Amino acid sequence: MSKSTTTLQETNYSALSTLVTVFFFWGFIAAGNSVFIPFCKHYFSLDQFQSQLIDFAFYTAYYVGALGLFAYGAFGGKDLVGKWGYKKSIVYGLLFSAFGAAAMIFAVNANTFAGMLIGLFVVALGFSLQQTAANPFAINLGDPSTGNSRVNLGGAINSFGTTIGPIVVAIALFGSTAAITDEQIAALSLGKVIVLYTCVGLLFIAAAALFYFSKKVPAGISIEKTENSNKALYMLLIMTGLLIVMFAPVFNSYKIDMTNSSTEEVHAMNMYRMRWLLGALAVVVVGLLIANFSAKKKSAGWGAMQYPQLVLGMLAIFVYVGVEVAIGSNLGELLKQTEFGGFQASEATPYIAMYWGSLMIGRWAGSISAFNFSKTTKTILLVAMPLIAFALIIGVNTIAQYNMKPLYYYVVCVLLQIAAFYISKEKPVRTLLIFSLLGVAAMIVGIMTTGTVAVYAFLSGGLFCSIMWPAIFNLSIAGLGKHTTQGSAFLIMMILGGGIIPPIQGKLADVIGIHQSYWIAVVCFAYLAFFAFAAKGILKRQGIDYDAQVEGSGH
């Protein structure tokens, strides 16, 4: 494939600029959970595992929502997102999330943690519909070979939301950005949460109106009938039933007060929860491997699951989202430890903002190829954009009156990421492999050290996670053809990893300590490196060489 013989499909920048607004909301709400978790932990007297149920409720909703979309297509013979079109699907998703924000307000008035979990669940159900439509939509708004960059652009805007999310939520919950004590956090009124989610709900409605009335955004309707995928549906329903069996005792145990229990009773409860959580993890891994094995023998009825790159990609999305969320959600507890600074909950906010901001740093660099710049300009921007993003994070937090001096030297990690970008040359397989291996190395350094070095190492997990989503997504749906939308729904389903892996790490932290619990992240990054290697071979056997296509396109 050469530049002289290839005509690239022109990118619809007008539609893309409107589309990326919804990416902002996903990041804003998800990152806000990282500050919301320590608040709920103190207000409701939760242990580390119980506080992680916020992530459990939020990310499990993605699985339920995407499964519902797939089930509709399997029984009705038509893809619901294709029937509505990408545009309307995103509008409906935003309105559903607004309904979830309203549910949060009712739960806050009732002063119930379980009700707040339900509200977050409904918000994320709307997100699942939005993401199922938005990711393939971004890829379809231009040439497929540059789809990775457009998803990265959306991710860059998403990460801007993650950068300011913790700061806004901290102000809404704590009243200011100044450090406050754990006792003050426990005494805060839930009324501030009402104000926060009233504003969030109104923003969802405003975004839905913007998208609905925009003439720049095409409808994106597809009337193609879906192929029989009953075997895939039955497998997912069986997995769902087993997950409910695994989750029920874990979820019910959050109401148990362990503060007055003996050491032996606490240990027994920890192991009880751990067994059920590991069982849930086994259900997902074994279920998908069985599906892949069965589809190889006879592909009929498996739909998109007949493609091994998709099934392995589903596991990759599962562990990627899991590790990204787990690192950030457990970071506040890590920073409370004396050897990591002994920070109060609100004092940890700039570090949490830097972690989520690290995702923005990488995605800003990864989105450069979405624009038709010269090779020289791209090289300059590859260096400049991460440094500008880093300066923005420092600046925003400084304006918010946080002491950012301890994070100045984090720029060394940013420079390492720039070097990794340069070596990867925008090739999805190479990029995913390099960044996964760097993630493994960073987590091991963090586990083996303490103090600033360890904190920087764990924060850099955000840098190395930053561009994984589009790489995994594109490699997973490559070659799926008419099964692309269905494959997209399956991948969105696997955001479930954000609801399983963080609680597993939280429970492991209750057993062996928060520091050593980050071995979970090492295992996750190791699988992502394996997926990059395996996907390359699978796609080559199908006559697809993604890295060669990207290199040949000049993007």
Side-chain angles (χ1 to χ4, degrees):
M1 185 181 293
S2 66
K3 296 179 185 178
S4 59
T5 60
T6 303
T7 301
L8 296 180
Q9 178 184 340
E10 189 173 336
T11 299
N12 185 342
Y13 289 112
S14 296
L16 185 62
S17 63
T18 304
L19 174 63
V20 296
T21 58
V22 298
F23 284 77
F24 171 85
F25 293 106
W26 305 336
F28 180 88
I29 300 300
N33 287 349
S34 294
V35 178
F36 194 49
I37 285 170
F39 165 71
C40 287
K41 181 176 180 179
H42 289 92
Y43 190 92
F44 293 104
S45 300
L46 309 174
D47 63 22
Q48 185 63 12
F49 159 75
Q50 291 167 329
S51 70
Q52 295 300 303
L53 289 175
I54 291 173
D55 281 335
F56 172 85
F58 190 79
Y59 291 98
T60 300
Y62 281 92
Y63 176 84
V64 174
L67 177 61
L69 290 173
F70 171 58
Y72 177 91
F75 286 120
K78 287 186 178 180
D79 172 21
L80 187 59
V81 172
K83 178 182 176 182
W84 285 342
Y86 292 133
K87 181 176 180 177
K88 283 188 176 179
S89 295
I90 292 172
V91 171
Y92 295 156
L94 285 164
L95 292 176
F96 203 82
S97 293
F99 177 75
M104 275 288 291
I105 294 171
F106 282 111
V108 170
N109 277 323
N111 198 23
T112 166
F113 180 60
M116 293 168 73
L117 294 179
I118 293 172
L120 282 172
F121 181 87
V122 176
V123 169
L125 276 179
F127 282 8
S128 71
L129 175 57
Q130 296 166 46
Q131 288 222 30
T132 300
N135 285 282
F137 198 14
I139 294 172
N140 289 341
L141 288 176
D143 194 87
S145 67
T146 57
N148 194 66
S149 298
R150 285 188 295 280
V151 177
N152 255 327
L153 178 62
I157 302 300
N158 173 278
S159 295
F160 179 67
T162 67
T163 300
I164 68 172
I167 297 172
V168 174
V169 174
I171 293 173
L173 296 182
F174 304 148
S176 72
T177 58
I180 56 177
T181 65
D182 291 344
E183 290 74 19
Q184 287 173 305
I185 293 173
L188 286 174
S189 168
L190 285 177
K192 293 186 177 180
V193 182
I194 294 178
V195 175
L196 171 65
Y197 276 92
T198 298
C199 294
V200 167
L202 292 174
L203 285 173
F204 284 144
I205 294 172
L210 171 68
F211 219 81
Y212 181 79
F213 291 108
S214 175
K215 296 181 180 179
K216 304 173 183 177
V217 182
I221 296 174
S222 173
I223 59 174
E224 187 174 3
K225 289 194 67 176
T226 58
E227 188 178 290
N228 187 321
S229 305
N230 287 340
K231 291 180 181 178
L233 177 61
Y234 296 150
M235 173 58 74
L236 290 169
L237 290 176
I238 291 171
M239 286 172 56
T240 302
L242 291 173
L243 286 172
I244 291 172
V245 170
M246 300 295 171
F247 287 155
V250 175
F251 189 80
N252 286 334
S253 71
Y254 95 88
K255 292 176 285 189
I256 300 175
D257 183 6
M258 302 299 293
T259 55
N260 298 317
S261 301
S262 67
T263 303
E264 292 76 14
E265 289 173 328
V266 171
H267 179 73
M269 177 56 69
N270 286 337
M271 298 311 298
Y272 170 81
R273 290 167 170 169
M274 179 66 78
R275 283 194 295 271
W276 288 109
L277 285 168
L278 291 176
L281 179 63
V283 166
V284 174
V285 175
V286 174
L288 290 179
L289 292 178
I290 290 174
N292 186 35
F293 178 77
S294 301
K296 280 183 179 179
K297 296 176 65 175
K298 189 176 181 181
S299 62
W302 284 103
M305 277 193 181
Q306 67 188 271
Y307 297 92
Q309 67 266 33
L310 177 72
V311 176
L312 294 180
M314 290 170 70
L315 282 175
I317 289 289
F318 180 89
V319 300
Y320 155 70
V321 176
V323 71
E324 178 187 287
V325 176
I327 293 173
S329 295
N330 287 284
L331 193 58
E333 183 67 19
L334 180 78
L335 293 171
K336 284 174 61 179
Q337 311 307 309
T338 304
E339 61 269 34
F340 295 97
F343 297 109
Q344 297 284 348
S346 61
E347 290 177 311
T349 299
Y351 291 88
I352 294 171
M354 180 58 77
Y355 172 74
W356 292 108
S358 293
L359 296 167
M360 180 180 76
I361 291 170
R363 289 168 180 170
W364 278 25
S367 65
I368 293 170
S369 292
F371 302 95
N372 191 25
F373 297 128
S374 68
K375 186 176 181 179
T376 301
T377 302
K378 286 182 180 179
T379 302
I380 294 172
L381 290 175
L382 185 63
V383 176
M385 291 304 290
L387 295 176
I388 292 172
F390 174 71
L392 178 63
I393 297 165
I394 294 292
V396 168
N397 283 274
T398 300
I399 292 172
Q401 298 181 334
Y402 285 113
N403 177 20
M404 299 302 290
K405 289 182 180 179
L407 289 166
Y408 285 173
Y409 292 106
Y410 185 67
V411 72
V412 174
C413 298
V414 177
L415 294 173
L416 175 62
Q417 186 200 48
I418 292 172
F421 264 119
Y422 185 78
I423 295 170
S424 65
K425 298 186 183 299
E426 303 174 8
K427 298 180 178 182
V429 172
R430 185 186 294 184
T431 299
L432 183 58
L433 181 60
I434 290 173
F435 278 70
S436 297
L437 293 175
L438 285 171
V440 170
M443 294 303 104
I444 291 177
V445 169
I447 291 168
M448 297 302 178
T449 59
T450 58
T452 301
V453 171
V455 172
Y456 278 17
F458 289 131
L459 290 179
S460 70
L463 292 173
F464 304 132
C465 281
S466 61
I467 47 71
M468 286 184 175
W469 173 277
I472 297 169
F473 206 96
N474 277 8
L475 292 172
S476 299
I477 66 174
L480 265 60
K482 63 182 179 181
H483 296 291
T484 298
T485 301
Q486 186 184 97
S488 175
F490 288 163
L491 292 171
I492 299 303
M493 209 176 291
M494 288 299 101
I495 292 177
L496 172 70
I500 294 180
I501 292 178
I504 288 178
Q505 183 176 348
K507 183 43 56 190
L508 190 62
D510 290 333
V511 176
I512 66 173
I514 189 68
H515 188 193
Q516 294 301 311
S517 72
Y518 275 84
W519 280 109
I520 291 287
V522 174
V523 175
C524 291
F525 280 122
Y527 175 78
L528 293 170
F530 163 77
F531 171 71
F533 180 80
K536 182 177 178 66
I538 291 169
L539 292 175
K540 271 196 170 183
R541 288 194 293 273
Q542 296 175 10
I544 303 170
D545 191 340
Y546 232 99
D547 280 358
Q549 288 179 20
V550 173
E551 184 176 32
S553 71
H555 284 260

